[in-house]
Amino acid sequence: MVSVKAKGYGKVILFGEHFVVYGLPGIASGIDKYVEVEIQELKDTKDIIFDDKVFKEKFTLKEQPEHIKSKMLKAIIEGEEFVTLEGLKIIINANLPAGGGLGYSAALAVAMAGALNQIFELGWKQNQINEAAYKAEKITHGTPSGIDNSCATYGTVIWFEKNMKGGENTIRPFKCGKSLLCLLVDTGIKHDTKKAVTMVRENKEKEPKKYNKLFSEYKNIVSKAKKEIQYGGVEEIGKLMNQNHALLKELNISTKEIDEIIKIATFENARGAKITGAGMGGNVLILCYNEAQQNKLMEMYATKNYNSIKIKIS
Ligand code: MEV
């Protein structure tokens, strides 16, 4: 039996969630948590079986053509005229948590695109896998910037700019001058990226003056951040993260859980802390001084029932 496997990585946004949707630059990184898609060729069916081990769902393309994963599959393969979608089993596994602002849907789209590329021998390069996954992201999120699927594809630190004219997005991988020791703290609240993005858009339309000001403040932050990350100015990066978070609060995407997590990080003198991802739940990114602080904060959050994971961005 022919069987192939591909991975898509989770991501953290260091700077720029929401702002990137409007073409402003963002800085993000892939993380070492992933979604893995295995595709097996089946000889005894003309259908496609989805076996999602994460969401514990089993269905076929014919039974549920409108299921989000059926639509993602069709979007990824759209335009490949020599591909016939039949006789496959698609098995989904992950160690990346879903609904936490860590780019689960994008990681799934990239893993699916990567596995389809192999099974159908499409010869796609990384940028084509990324573009195919972006089509699936549009099904899931409506107007995604493309930053999530780019991190899921490349897995490294990237400078990202959405092309507002619809052409190729700018994706520039770059290196950190110093590794960033971080903690990702889960609010435990599952969020909905589409809902958060829609809310920000509606508010922006209602109050253009206020939002334009926030946007120009953000531009200033992200260009300083890139230099500091390349140079290894960890202290300054922390301050810039705090400033970015203050703007995200103005976008009304914070919650009482996020505020509590940030308050603890500030009290413990972490270098910086901010929402990462769409907000309204999901995860908070904390930049720590050292491993001892990572461990201490992890214990403190556990006593408040917040799960956290250590990550190193480099
Ligand atoms: C979601 O991870 C990041 C947002 O900026 C949406 C997007 O960029 O597509 C909120």
Side-chain angles (χ1 to χ4, degrees), residues 11 13 16-21 101 143-148 193 197 277-278:
K11 65 96 199 6
I13 297 185
E17 40 281 278
H18 291 283
F19 298 102
V20 284
V21 172
T143 55
S145 63
I147 195 168
D148 289 12
T193 301
V197 170

Side-chain angles (χ1 to χ4, degrees), residues 1-7 34-42 48-59 69 73 88-94 104 107-108 111-112 115-116 119:
M1 181 188 58
V2 180
S3 160
V4 298
K5 277 184 186 173
K7 282 180 185 167
Y34 55 83
V35 178
E36 185 176 72
V37 168
E38 178 179 355
I39 302 188
Q40 298 171 351
E41 221 171 60
L42 303 178
I48 293 198
I49 302 168
F50 285 91
D51 184 0
D52 189 333
K53 307 278 188 204
V54 180
F55 284 88
K56 306 204 179 346
E57 286 182 308
K58 224 172 167 173
F59 60 93
K69 283 169 208 133
L73 174 70
L88 300 176
K89 183 172 186 182
I90 300 181
I91 304 160
I92 302 167
N93 275 296
Y104 186 93
L108 172 61
M112 236 193 228
L116 289 165
I119 200 100

Side-chain angles (χ1 to χ4, degrees), residues 11-13 16-22 101-104 106 134 137 141 143-149 160 162 191 193-194 196-197 200 248 253 276-279:
K11 65 96 199 6
V12 281
I13 297 185
E17 40 281 278
H18 291 283
F19 298 102
V20 284
V21 172
Y22 304 91
L102 303 180
Y104 186 93
Y134 187 44
E137 273 289 88
H141 291 316
T143 55
S145 63
I147 195 168
D148 289 12
N149 47 283
F160 176 88
K162 178 179 176 167
H191 74 174
T193 301
K194 198 171 184 172
V197 170
V200 171
L248 293 173
I253 57 160
T276 185

Side-chain angles (χ1 to χ4, degrees), residues 44-107:
D44 54 354
T45 174
K46 289 246 175 250
D47 207 348
I48 293 198
I49 302 168
F50 285 91
D51 184 0
D52 189 333
K53 307 278 188 204
V54 180
F55 284 88
K56 306 204 179 346
E57 286 182 308
K58 224 172 167 173
F59 60 93
T60 78
L61 184 65
K62 287 193 178 143
E63 282 164 11
Q64 296 202 45
E66 292 305 308
H67 193 289
I68 188 82
K69 283 169 208 133
S70 302
K71 287 177 153 181
M72 285 171 75
L73 174 70
K74 287 184 268 183
I76 289 169
I77 222 66
E78 184 206 316
E80 289 297 326
E81 45 188 314
F82 299 112
V83 168
T84 312
L85 280 178
E86 60 178 35
L88 300 176
K89 183 172 186 182
I90 300 181
I91 304 160
I92 302 167
N93 275 296
N95 64 6
L96 175 70
L102 303 180
Y104 186 93
S105 66

Side-chain angles (χ1 to χ4, degrees), residues 15 17 62 81-82 149 157 187 193 247 273 282 293 307 311:
F15 292 93
E17 40 281 278
K62 287 193 178 143
E81 45 188 314
F82 299 112
N149 47 283
V157 180
T187 59
T193 301
L247 299 182
Q293 187 175 54
N307 286 328
I311 58 165

Side-chain angles (χ1 to χ4, degrees), residues 18 28 50-51 58 86 110 123 139 162 169 172 190 198-199 204 206 222 253 261 264 274 276 280 283 298-299 305:
H18 291 283
F50 285 91
D51 184 0
K58 224 172 167 173
E86 60 178 35
V110 167
I139 305 279
K162 178 179 176 167
N169 297 328
R172 303 242 184 282
K190 299 258 179 249
T198 306
M199 185 200 74
K204 184 174 177 292
K206 277 186 217 144
V222 71
I253 57 160
I261 292 167
I264 294 170
K274 66 178 278 292
T276 185
M280 298 174 93
N283 273 267
M298 206 168 186
E299 274 173 31
N305 290 323

